Amino acid sequence: MAEITVKAGQALERILTLELVRVTERAAVSSAGLRGRGDEKAADKAAVDAMRRELNRLPIAGRIVIGEGERDEAPMLFIGEEVGTGKGPAVDIAVDPLEGTTLCAKNMPGSIAVMAMAEGGTLLYAPDVYMEKIAVGPGYPKGTIDIDASPEENIHSLAKAKGVKPSEITALILDRPRHAGLIAAVRGTGAAVQLITDGDVAGVIHTTNPDETGVDIYIGTGGAPEGVLAAAALRCIGGEMYTRLILDTEEKRERAKKMGVADPKKIYTIYDMVRGDCLIAATGVTTGNLLKGVKYEKGVVKTHTVVMRSASGTVRWIEAEHRDLSKFHLG
C-alpha cells in the first residue's frame, strides 16, 4: 500500500480531513462485528488492533499519552507506545479504541471509537485514576459552573445563564453507586437526570449540542484518560470543563508525581489538559444520540464520524459508504 505523504507544517490539517477519520472508522467497523456477543475483551481487542494498524501508517512520530485503561486488563495501546512511520511531526495521541465496551457487547446505544491528536507535549499526561468532572457546552459566561460548588448551586447557575427554570435542565451522570447522592441532589432542584452506563467521553460531547442531545451539563467522576479525550472535544467546539484527579492513596499520588503531576489537588481546565492545536475524531459503533452505528449492507459498510479541529473550530460530520471491504481486515 502506498505511503501517505504530507507537506511540512500541514500534518494536522491533512490528518483532519482524511487520515484521522480512517483510524476511527477502522476501529469502529472491527468492533461492530462483535456487537451483542457479550465478549467485551474481544470487541476491545478488535478495535485496538485496527487502530494500531492504521496509526502505524500515518506520517507522524506519534506517542500514546492517553491509552487503554489498565483497570480493565484489556489489550492496550499502552502509554508511551510509539506509533506512526516516524517520518513526520511529533504528536501526542489519546485513544479509546472502543469507548463503551459493555455497550458494544450488549448492543446498547452509544459506543464509539474515539481518538485525539495534538502537537507534541501538549496533552495532559494523566494517570489511570478517577477524576472529578463537570462540563457544559459553549455559549455560557465563564464561571457558570464550578467544580467546588454544590450540585444544587451548579444547576441553578446554569439555569440562570440559560434563562430557564432548573426543571428545564438535564444533567448527564454515569449510573454508579458512588453517584447516588449526586443524582438525588440534582433531582432535588427539579432538574432531570439522564443516566448512562458507560461512555463519558461521548457524555461530555453531548453537552455541546443540547438542542439535539437533550443534555445541558455533565457531572460526576469517571476515568482521567477519558477526561482528557473529552477536553479535546470541548477544546475544538467550545464550552467549559473543570476536572480534578482523585488521588486518594499514596500509591496513586506517587504514580501521578512520576507522570509530572506536581499538585495533586490542582483543578484542570480544558486549556490545561489540551494546550495546543488538536484534532479529535469519533466514529459510532452502536447508534446513540451523538452518532449512528456501523451498518452492514450487501457489499457495503456505512459509518458515521465526527471530526473536529481546535485551531479552526471546524466540525465535520462524515457519513461514508465503504465498498472496498478488504481494508477492514474482517477475515
Side-chain angles (χ1 to χ4, degrees), residues 64 77 108 136 177 197 241:
I64 303 295
L77 273 158
M108 295 171 64
V136 292
T197 59
M241 182 177 183

Side-chain angles (χ1 to χ4, degrees), residues 12 61 63 65 89-93 117-123 275-277:
L12 292 188
R63 182 178 294 273
V65 174
V91 294
D92 287 350
I93 296 172
M117 184 179 293
E119 297 167 335
T122 64
L123 286 183
R275 296 188 300 277
D277 187 15

Side-chain angles (χ1 to χ4, degrees), residues 33-90:
L34 292 163
R35 289 179 299 204
R37 306 299 176 86
D39 192 337
E40 296 180 15
K41 289 189 177 180
D44 197 29
K45 184 178 187 303
V48 169
D49 290 347
M51 188 168 277
R52 178 181 280 118
R53 184 171 58 244
E54 292 305 313
L55 281 171
N56 282 329
R57 292 188 58 241
L58 296 185
I60 56 173
R63 182 178 294 273
I64 303 295
V65 174
I66 299 293
E68 286 259 86
E70 295 175 0
R71 287 188 301 270
D72 300 330
E73 297 182 355
M76 291 188 292
L77 273 158
F78 58 86
I79 293 173
E81 180 174 351
E82 295 181 356
V83 295
T85 65
K87 301 176 182 178

Side-chain angles (χ1 to χ4, degrees), residues 282-306:
T283 300
V285 178
T286 59
T287 297
N289 288 343
L290 183 68
L291 292 161
K292 300 174 187 175
V294 174
K295 188 174 182 181
Y296 297 99
E297 297 181 358
K298 187 175 182 180
V300 176
V301 173
K302 295 182 177 181
T303 56
H304 189 206
T305 301
V306 60

Side-chain angles (χ1 to χ4, degrees), residues 25-258:
E25 283 177 344
R26 301 300 198 274
V29 171
S30 294
S31 56
L34 292 163
R35 289 179 299 204
R37 306 299 176 86
D39 192 337
E40 296 180 15
K41 289 189 177 180
D44 197 29
K45 184 178 187 303
V48 169
D49 290 347
M51 188 168 277
R52 178 181 280 118
R53 184 171 58 244
E54 292 305 313
L55 281 171
N56 282 329
R57 292 188 58 241
L58 296 185
I60 56 173
R63 182 178 294 273
I64 303 295
V65 174
I66 299 293
E68 286 259 86
E70 295 175 0
R71 287 188 301 270
D72 300 330
E73 297 182 355
M76 291 188 292
L77 273 158
F78 58 86
I79 293 173
E81 180 174 351
E82 295 181 356
V83 295
T85 65
K87 301 176 182 178
V91 294
D92 287 350
I93 296 172
V95 300
D96 197 337
L98 181 59
E99 196 208 19
T101 53
T102 301
L103 300 177
C104 179
K106 294 182 177 180
N107 204 9
M108 295 171 64
S111 62
I112 61 174
V114 59
M115 67 167 289
M117 184 179 293
E119 297 167 335
T122 64
L123 286 183
L124 176 66
Y125 195 31
D128 184 24
V129 297
Y130 284 110
M131 172 186 268
E132 298 175 63
K133 308 172 192 177
I134 184 168
V136 292
Y140 299 110
K142 185 175 175 59
T144 296
I145 55 172
D146 181 348
I147 197 168
D148 285 326
S150 68
E152 295 90 345
E153 289 170 326
N154 279 308
I155 294 297
H156 283 287
S157 177
L158 178 58
K160 181 179 179 181
K162 192 174 181 180
V164 300
K165 297 176 182 177
S167 59
E168 296 177 62
I169 296 295
T170 297
L172 191 73
I173 302 174
L174 273 171
D175 189 6
R176 299 288 188 270
R178 65 179 180 270
H179 288 152
L182 170 62
I183 292 166
V186 170
R187 286 177 173 160
T189 68
V193 172
Q194 181 176 326
L195 295 172
I196 53 172
T197 59
D198 292 278
D200 60 343
V201 176
V204 171
I205 297 174
H206 277 44
T207 67
T208 64
N209 190 6
D211 290 339
E212 189 69 27
T213 65
V215 174
D216 296 291
I217 184 170
Y218 178 94
I219 318 177
T221 61
E226 290 86 349
V228 176
L229 270 166
L234 291 188
R235 184 80 162 78
C236 295
I237 302 172
E240 199 172 359
M241 182 177 183
Y242 299 99
T243 69
R244 180 163 44 210
L245 297 170
I246 299 176
L247 303 173
D248 51 4
T249 68
E250 188 60 33
E251 186 272 333
K252 289 177 184 177
R253 288 188 286 272
E254 282 300 312
R255 184 149 49 97
K257 187 176 180 180
K258 290 178 182 178

